[in-house]
Amino acid sequence: MSPTPRHIPAPERRARLALRHRLAPGAHATTPEEVAASLVALHGSDPATVHLAVGARLADASATVTETTRALYEDRTLIRAHGMRHTVFVYPAELTAVVHASTGLAVAARERANLVKDMAKAGAPDATWLKAVEEATLSALARRGQATASELALDEPRLKEQFAYAAGKPYEGVHTVSSRLLRVLGVEGKVVRGRPLGGWTSSQFRWAVAPAHPELDTAEAQATLLGRWLTTCGPATEADLKWWTGWRVTDVRRALAAIGAEPVTLDEGTGYVTAGDLAPVADPAEPWAALLPALDPTAMGWQHRDWYLAPELRPALFDRSGNVGPTVWWNGRVVGGWAQRPDGEITWRLLGREDIGREAETAIGAAAERLRGWVGETRVTPRFRTPVERELSA
């Protein structure tokens, strides 16, 4: 007879989150590399998110910009590239092969096929022509080290070619070969985002050749990635895992079996932890507060969020596409939202009816001052605006 799975209640899940996501006092990291390794990957769709997520977890937040810049663009120990759910992430360079094999290969095949099909519909050159342009582009990029699409087009003029997209439909437009091809090469793991054209909040990037990596077996790579994520974010349900990875449920189940994941019960149903991770986890030694950015990997980590985010708070904190905005945290739960005003002030608002107490408000205020201290003169506007962020930043 199988033993009854252990029940992990919501308070213990919040304790795990505080420690493993490096948010509690004593759990902060010393480098951006440690932050990324602990979280597996940082959302990179909004460039500011990466630095803000790192800054919230560094013991010395004043080093956030210089150290994250070093890791991304000088040492290249972190890379910004397409990953899970066809989304741009920043993750440790040593995970390049794992992310590519586990999530990128299937998406890459579809992206290239769609590009060839769209070009054919528009009467543009065929796949053979596209392959020649690709090879010339990669050679030019290798010579330059890093370059924008416009700079690469000086070396390979065929990148400037345009073709009609979705002719006759409401969303028809004109695409350039450069924008579509570089996107495909990114999904295929051949190029990554390089240094931005502006500051750390800039969304305009140069491109760079991706670091060399071996081709891994897909199933083995999926087991490795899922094991890394579950170590950080477990317990999690099958639905959480499917949502975060973007895989088919059969892939999730195969990876769970491969790593010997152990079932537990959660308030919302069956969950899983990695083998040997059943022991209870105590609360952090001290209470903690944090101001996390839009698309932070903790706020976006699970599909089921009731254990750290009350359902009634979601309309104010998420946009219509399901992207979370800046959030205020107290002891493992979201209690409000924050924003930066035009004069640089970090302002925040508690949401909901619960009185969290003076200690919590004092700690949140200190976290806001800490954030303003290292952000300095930079102004941050989330790429995906949410109701409470818009109100607070006005």
Side-chain angles (χ1 to χ4, degrees):
M1 183 175 180
S2 300
T4 301
R6 178 176 173 245
H7 180 71
I8 299 182
E12 183 181 333
R13 298 183 74 180
R14 293 193 286 267
R16 288 170 176 249
L17 177 155
L19 298 170
R20 298 180 183 186
H21 288 218
R22 295 186 175 271
L23 292 168
H28 293 317
T30 58
T31 67
E33 288 91 341
E34 289 181 12
V35 174
S38 295
L39 294 167
V40 183
L42 308 173
H43 277 265
S45 301
D46 185 337
T49 292
V50 177
H51 290 74
L52 293 169
V54 169
R57 296 168 171 88
L58 284 184
D60 178 11
S62 66
T64 298
V65 175
T66 55
E67 281 297 286
T68 306
T69 298
R70 171 197 56 76
L72 279 167
Y73 310 123
E74 296 168 13
D75 296 347
R76 295 186 70 183
T77 46
L78 300 179
I79 66 166
R80 187 191 306 266
H82 275 87
M84 293 62 68
R85 304 190 308 280
H86 201 358
T87 299
V88 175
F89 283 88
V90 167
Y91 47 83
E94 63 266 23
L95 280 182
T96 302
V98 170
V99 172
H100 176 60
S102 64
T103 68
L105 289 176
V107 174
R110 291 197 301 270
E111 283 291 304
R112 182 172 286 272
N114 286 340
L115 174 55
V116 172
K117 181 177 68 175
D118 290 343
M119 291 177 64
K121 286 182 179 178
D126 60 13
T128 301
W129 179 90
L130 188 65
K131 185 65 176 177
V133 175
E134 171 191 335
E135 292 174 352
T137 299
L138 290 173
S139 296
L141 188 56
R143 290 192 302 270
R144 286 180 175 267
Q146 294 192 21
T148 64
S150 296
E151 290 169 340
L152 290 171
L154 296 176
D155 299 332
E156 175 44 76
R158 288 175 291 184
L159 287 171
K160 300 177 184 178
E161 293 288 332
Q162 297 181 328
F163 60 93
Y165 172 75
K169 296 183 179 179
Y171 50 89
E172 70 175 308
V174 176
H175 287 187
T176 61
V177 171
S178 63
S179 62
R180 290 288 299 273
L181 178 59
L182 286 168
R183 180 179 178 84
V184 169
L185 295 179
V187 177
E188 291 178 339
K190 296 175 182 178
V191 300
V192 297
R193 265 73 167 176
R195 190 181 292 271
L197 295 181
W200 57 271
T201 62
S202 174
S203 60
Q204 294 183 301
F205 286 93
R206 297 174 176 86
W207 294 91
V209 175
H213 58 268
E215 294 296 328
L216 303 180
D217 174 75
T218 296
E220 291 179 4
Q222 289 178 335
T224 298
L225 185 64
L226 185 139
R228 290 278 294 262
W229 187 86
L230 202 58
T231 297
T232 292
C233 296
T237 66
E238 190 176 89
D240 291 329
L241 293 161
K242 181 178 182 296
W243 178 83
W244 187 83
T245 59
W247 303 340
R248 298 171 302 177
V249 68
T250 52
D251 294 329
V252 170
R253 291 172 178 171
R254 181 181 62 199
L256 284 169
I259 66 170
E262 301 190 56
V264 297
T265 63
L266 306 173
D267 291 345
E268 64 265 34
T270 300
Y272 297 90
V273 297
T274 54
D277 192 26
L278 288 171
V281 174
D283 289 338
E286 302 175 42
W288 61 276
L291 272 60
L292 300 185
L295 299 178
D296 186 85
T298 299
M300 293 288 288
W302 298 264
Q303 185 178 53
H304 296 289
R305 299 167 178 149
D306 289 0
W307 57 277
Y308 65 88
L309 175 61
E312 60 268 23
L313 303 189
R314 295 179 189 176
L317 295 170
F318 285 76
D319 71 5
R320 294 180 180 178
S321 298
N323 299 301
V324 71
T327 49
V328 175
W329 292 66
W330 174 244
N331 284 340
R333 294 186 299 117
V334 176
V335 296
W338 67 271
Q340 185 186 42
R341 288 179 174 158
D343 64 359
E345 179 188 358
I346 303 298
T347 182
W348 50 276
R349 178 188 298 169
L350 297 178
L351 303 173
R353 299 177 181 178
E354 181 183 357
D355 181 3
I356 62 175
R358 181 173 297 180
E359 179 188 21
E361 293 191 24
T362 300
I364 293 168
E369 285 302 310
R370 180 177 185 263
L371 174 58
R372 181 171 185 176
W374 73 259
V375 168
E377 298 300 316
T378 302
R379 298 295 175 262
V380 179
T381 301
R383 180 177 177 184
F384 304 104
R385 310 293 300 276
T386 56
V388 72
E389 186 274 329
R390 286 183 182 274
E391 292 178 21
L392 291 174
S393 63

